[in-house]
Amino acid sequence: PKAECEADGTIALAKALKLLGLASSASDGRRLIEGGGVSVNQQKITDPLAKITPVEGMLVQVGKRKAARVDL
């Protein structure tokens, strides 16, 4: 979601999880990240303050069964 990105084109991963429907809120997204259950393009993310640069087709996964591809 380009409209939610900051000026440098990044977005907080916790906020992205909420926007993609993988977390009920940004706080819930942070908890999921801290718990080690979030990966972006098959790489596990453990920093709750991590920022990502959304790219078309990027795979964001929460656990084994919940996943979404970024569609700009």
Side-chain angles (χ1 to χ4, degrees), residues 13 17 29 32-33 36-40 43-46 60-63:
L13 179 55
L17 290 174
L32 290 167
I33 296 166
V38 177
S39 63
V40 176
Q43 287 196 305
K44 190 168 286 228
I45 308 292
T46 57
V60 181
Q61 205 169 356
V62 175

Side-chain angles (χ1 to χ4, degrees), residues 1-58:
K2 286 277 190 201
E4 302 290 335
C5 290
E6 295 178 13
D8 62 356
T10 62
I11 186 170
L13 179 55
K15 188 173 183 180
L17 290 174
K18 178 184 178 291
L19 293 172
L20 290 168
L22 299 174
S24 58
S25 66
S27 296
D28 183 38
R30 274 192 295 278
R31 280 191 290 277
L32 290 167
I33 296 166
E34 287 172 349
V38 177
S39 63
V40 176
N41 286 337
Q42 309 286 315
Q43 287 196 305
K44 190 168 286 228
I45 308 292
T46 57
D47 177 13
L49 301 177
K51 292 184 181 268
I52 59 169
T53 303
V55 177
E56 186 78 26
M58 176 184 281

Side-chain angles (χ1 to χ4, degrees), residues 53-72:
T53 303
V55 177
E56 186 78 26
M58 176 184 281
L59 177 66
V60 181
Q61 205 169 356
V62 175
K64 285 185 176 182
R65 292 180 171 51
K66 287 171 63 174
R69 288 216 179 261
V70 175
D71 186 22
L72 303 176

